[in-house]
Amino acid sequence: MCGIVGYIGKRDTQTVLIEGLKKLEYRGYDSAGIAVFTPEGLQIAKSIGRLANLESKLENTPLVGSAGIGHTRWATHGKPSDVNSHPHTDHSQKFSVVHNGIVENYLELKEELIRQGYEFVSETDTEVISHLVAREYEGDIVKAVQKAISYMRGAFALGVLTEYEPNKLVAVRQASPLIIGLGEGENFIGSDIPAILNYTRNIYILNDGEMAVLTEDAVELMTIEGNFISREMISVDWDTVTAEKGGFDHFMLKEIHEQPKAYRDTMRGRISENGGKVVFPDLKLTEEKIRSLSSIHIVACGTAYNAGLVGGAAIEQLVRIPVMNDVASEYRYRSPLITPDTLVIVVSQSGETADTLAALREAHANGAHVLAITNVVGSSIARDADDVIATLAGPEIAVASTKAYTSQLIAFYLLGLYMAQVRGTQSEEEIAHVIAAMQSLPEQVESMLEKADAVKAYAEQIAGHEHLFFIGRGLDFSVVQEGSLKLKEISYIHSEAYAAGELKHGTLALIEEGIPVIALVTQDNVLEKTVSNIKEVKARGADVMAITHEEHVADLLKSVDQALSIPKTLPMLTPALSVVPLQLLAYYAALARGNDVDKPRNLAKSVTVE
């Protein structure tokens, strides 16, 4: 999410910053800006939209200097605008900051700073940082930054400059990536390797809780407490394209591996400090409104619709309120029963999906409160909705959605828990129990990704087939619908997902000798029934691979040909884990068939026409 570039040296700083930001465009952004030390002092240029807009501004008034910072912003706090763009300054415009991540306690810090006389011009959490640094400055920018971050909670990668010390550039990492580039008589910072690859291949990678002080001739590394540290320099031998993919072969694989971070980012700032409750400080949906709701409609397309199937089941379980899922392209045309007591939740990765936007407007026309779950804060859907829960997955480049889907699941779980708190449908102990399990999900996904070779081997087995079936019951059925869609999207293998209990009502006719069937078996309350359904397809010659918890593998191998295990969590949360091997299955099957994984035929990332 977002891109950071910083430079100190004798080159044309503006050129270094702009070229570096261009190398980070693949990360996605909605505005861009730079701050440069010039003979006239610290000067800033920024603009909403593409980098070309910023370049146009700079054509007549270039910023010429020896040090600077640049940023491409992906909106989280405040809609995309020139004012909300980075870099941000303090009221004296002597300090400038670029920031990736989220300051969780920015509201309380902002209120404190306003009481002390500091004036804010943007809606961002980042502007708080520039004012904090200015407040704490007593002649040493390093100490001022250290004091400022001691007040902050959350995730941040920072680049900080002050006009008072133009020979220094300060960088900080806390739960958001940042690297240092080492040159001859010049040094760099970047949120990702491609930003600096044209200038140097020698880097330091900052760890969480570390900072760096850069001058033209030296780089000092230290902890945020001020203890100096040494670090082995790394020499990068990637080409530019490989660097943009973080060393992965494809964006889709990179984005699958980014899911643990996306989980953490989507939860960050929405769980109380003691872990006992969910908080949504910016939600306009009042507690009174939540208590008055009579029904919920979840409306989306494709992968977002599949996320809504899981989300709807979770909300029904937690909140005990009727939930109806609708494909957005059908929603308007069935004359849905919408009243002012209906909450309509629209889900879209891009926030520009035409059918979902039309459904949103239909809901508004009928008096419903509309809440959007989207990955793009400044999108059309986000602007038109009454409320927005941003998923904070960061930009997705691959057409086939992975981390956006799972981040949407996290958003649904959080919303369901929040509504359960308000309506009193779950005890405080149960809510805290679910939250604790959610906080373990990132590590559990990481453990699965370490065992991807087992999925790869099975994917290569099925790559030669033209037909395949998925089966599951309960939440497993919702998840295999997403698994089937992924496989179709990028491998072009015809696959269908069936509710396992429905097989005997017609679809068993499609099972023939040797056809692959993938059975998801993670819901203990229907485990025995699912095993019976597996035996039905086995009896007709299917080759069955089961995905289940480790504790069930031995017993299932009596009924299936192969089995993969996933970590154990609460049944309601299992979709956030069980979908990962299905994503990998689609990826490796497409790879084995020689397909363009990131750009499948006939498909677009954002569907902006009906």
Side-chain angles (χ1 to χ4, degrees):
M1 182 179 355
C2 312
I4 285 176
V5 181
Y7 175 73
I8 187 164
K10 294 182 171 60
R11 296 180 193 260
D12 174 34
T13 298
Q14 176 180 303
T15 298
V16 174
L17 297 177
I18 295 296
E19 291 304 311
L21 293 177
K22 285 181 178 178
K23 297 299 183 184
L24 298 178
E25 284 191 290
Y26 70 91
R27 296 164 69 93
Y29 64 101
D30 46 49
S31 60
I34 63 172
V36 176
F37 283 130
T38 72
E40 292 75 35
L42 186 61
Q43 296 195 354
I44 292 173
K46 49 189 184 177
S47 177
I48 189 173
R50 313 306 293 173
L51 272 166
N53 297 345
L54 178 61
E55 288 183 284
S56 295
K57 278 189 174 182
L58 292 168
E59 281 181 3
N60 297 324
T61 54
L63 304 185
V64 179
S66 58
I69 50 178
H71 194 267
T72 48
R73 178 178 187 254
W74 182 264
T76 56
H77 295 72
K79 64 184 181 181
S81 68
D82 287 358
V83 170
N84 286 332
S85 304
H86 294 207
H88 285 285
T89 65
D90 70 309
H91 63 284
S92 70
Q93 296 196 330
K94 301 295 185 183
F95 299 84
S96 184
V97 174
V98 290
H99 163 227
N100 285 353
I102 296 172
V103 181
E104 294 177 6
N105 60 332
Y106 87 99
L107 280 176
E108 59 188 80
L109 291 172
K110 184 174 182 177
E111 289 169 359
E112 176 186 328
L113 287 162
I114 289 172
R115 287 195 297 271
Q116 294 171 354
Y118 291 87
E119 297 179 2
F120 285 76
V121 297
S122 79
E123 303 169 84
T124 68
D125 55 339
T126 303
E127 191 182 355
V128 166
I129 305 171
S130 57
H131 289 299
L132 282 175
V133 173
R135 186 186 71 180
E136 300 301 328
Y137 186 75
E138 295 178 350
D140 187 329
I141 185 60
V142 177
K143 289 183 179 178
V145 171
Q146 290 169 337
K147 288 180 181 178
I149 61 180
S150 70
Y151 299 112
M152 294 159 46
R153 296 194 307 271
F156 39 87
L158 305 179
V160 185
L161 295 174
T162 178
E163 193 173 299
Y164 298 121
E165 298 180 59
N167 62 331
K168 287 182 183 177
L169 168 57
V170 179
V172 183
R173 171 178 174 164
Q174 181 61 49
S176 195
L178 200 64
I179 61 168
I180 309 299
L182 308 172
E184 294 285 337
E186 60 184 1
N187 290 297
F188 309 79
I189 67 171
S191 53
D192 208 348
I193 291 170
I196 63 173
L197 208 53
N198 284 349
Y199 304 102
T200 181
R201 292 178 178 271
N202 298 324
I203 67 169
Y204 292 135
I205 298 177
L206 290 184
N207 295 322
D208 287 348
E210 293 180 351
M211 61 189 298
V213 183
L214 288 69
T215 64
E216 287 186 3
D217 300 314
V219 172
E220 291 182 335
L221 303 180
M222 64 187 76
T223 67
I224 57 178
E225 292 79 24
N227 301 315
F228 289 97
I229 55 179
S230 60
R231 176 70 36 81
E232 182 178 351
M233 184 189 74
I234 297 172
S235 182
V236 177
D237 59 3
W238 295 343
D239 59 35
T240 303
V241 174
T242 303
E244 289 179 357
K245 296 173 183 173
F248 292 96
D249 291 336
H250 297 91
F251 282 112
M252 182 178 178
L253 187 60
K254 176 176 181 280
E255 288 156 10
I256 289 171
H257 280 259
E258 287 175 340
Q259 288 178 120
K261 180 181 184 301
Y263 285 20
R264 293 184 181 104
D265 287 347
T266 302
M267 285 187 274
R268 185 173 285 117
R270 292 162 174 169
I271 294 172
S272 63
E273 286 191 42
N274 65 4
K277 56 190 280 190
V278 173
V279 292
F280 279 114
D282 299 326
L283 211 62
K284 299 171 187 172
L285 187 64
T286 65
E287 293 189 1
E288 181 182 1
K289 181 70 173 177
I290 290 172
R291 293 188 190 97
S292 71
L293 294 176
S294 60
S295 64
I296 296 174
H297 295 180
I298 298 175
V299 186
C301 300
T303 287
Y305 172 79
N306 291 338
L309 294 175
V310 176
I315 290 174
E316 278 199 338
Q317 179 180 332
L318 290 167
V319 189
R320 310 310 298 161
I321 189 172
V323 178
M324 180 175 293
N325 291 85
D326 266 282
V327 176
S329 57
E330 298 293 327
Y331 187 64
R332 288 179 295 156
Y333 304 110
R334 69 170 187 82
S335 299
L337 297 175
I338 306 171
T339 73
D341 292 332
T342 304
L343 173 65
V344 176
I345 303 173
V346 294
V347 192
S348 169
Q349 181 275 139
S350 68
E352 301 294 344
T353 311
D355 286 315
T356 308
L357 188 58
L360 182 159
R361 290 166 178 161
E362 176 77 7
H364 266 162
N366 285 275
H369 188 98
V370 180
L371 184 150
I373 295 177
T374 182
N375 202 38
V376 183
V377 171
S379 62
S380 299
I381 285 174
R383 291 195 304 269
D384 287 3
D386 300 299
D387 267 310
V388 180
I389 297 178
T391 51
L392 305 180
E396 264 193 341
I397 308 303
V399 168
S401 178
T402 51
K403 63 177 182 175
Y405 168 86
T406 46
S407 297
Q408 287 161 2
L409 298 189
I410 299 299
F412 271 118
Y413 293 143
L414 291 170
L415 178 62
L417 288 166
Y418 180 73
M419 294 176 71
Q421 287 169 190
V422 172
R423 291 173 69 108
T425 51
Q426 302 293 325
S427 68
E428 292 181 1
E429 293 76 17
E430 180 58 27
I431 287 171
H433 180 54
V434 177
I435 290 172
M438 286 180 64
Q439 291 174 316
S440 296
L441 292 174
E443 290 78 16
Q444 292 177 308
V445 172
E446 287 165 350
S447 72
M448 286 191 293
L449 293 173
E450 292 172 359
K451 302 174 182 177
D453 284 349
V455 181
K456 181 180 180 182
Y458 182 71
E460 290 170 349
Q461 291 177 37
I462 66 169
H465 289 267
E466 294 303 322
H467 304 281
L468 182 148
F469 298 105
F470 292 83
I471 59 173
R473 300 186 74 133
L475 283 174
D476 285 342
F477 175 47
S478 298
V479 176
V480 295
Q481 290 181 74
E482 174 60 13
S484 178
L485 176 59
K486 282 289 146 298
L487 192 69
K488 283 183 279 200
E489 280 181 309
I490 62 172
S491 77
Y492 316 145
I493 296 172
H494 168 248
S495 69
E496 299 296 338
Y498 293 120
E502 289 293 295
L503 287 169
K504 61 178 67 70
H505 296 285
T507 49
L508 267 178
L510 296 171
I511 302 300
E512 56 189 27
E513 190 71 31
I515 196 165
V517 173
I518 298 169
L520 198 52
V521 193
T522 72
Q523 301 296 303
D524 289 350
N525 64 325
V526 288
L527 189 145
E528 291 182 356
K529 294 183 182 297
T530 306
V531 171
S532 295
N533 302 139
I534 289 171
K535 290 179 178 178
E536 289 175 342
V537 296
K538 277 299 296 176
R540 288 153 181 85
D543 186 284
V544 181
M545 196 271 283
I547 299 174
T548 189
H549 300 302
E550 181 63 41
E551 65 195 70
H552 301 311
V553 167
D555 283 340
L556 271 173
L557 282 173
K558 299 172 186 176
S559 305
V560 303
D561 300 282
Q562 300 179 63
L564 292 173
S565 66
I566 65 170
K568 186 79 170 179
T569 187
L570 300 177
M572 181 178 65
L573 302 180
T574 300
L577 301 179
S578 59
V579 74
V580 175
L582 301 185
Q583 295 169 341
L584 290 168
L585 180 73
Y587 171 79
Y588 286 119
L591 203 62
R593 289 166 71 95
N595 296 348
D596 186 338
V597 173
D598 287 333
K599 297 177 181 177
R601 66 192 184 197
N602 306 330
L603 299 178
K605 185 63 178 170
S606 179
V607 182
T608 56
V609 294
E610 290 190 56

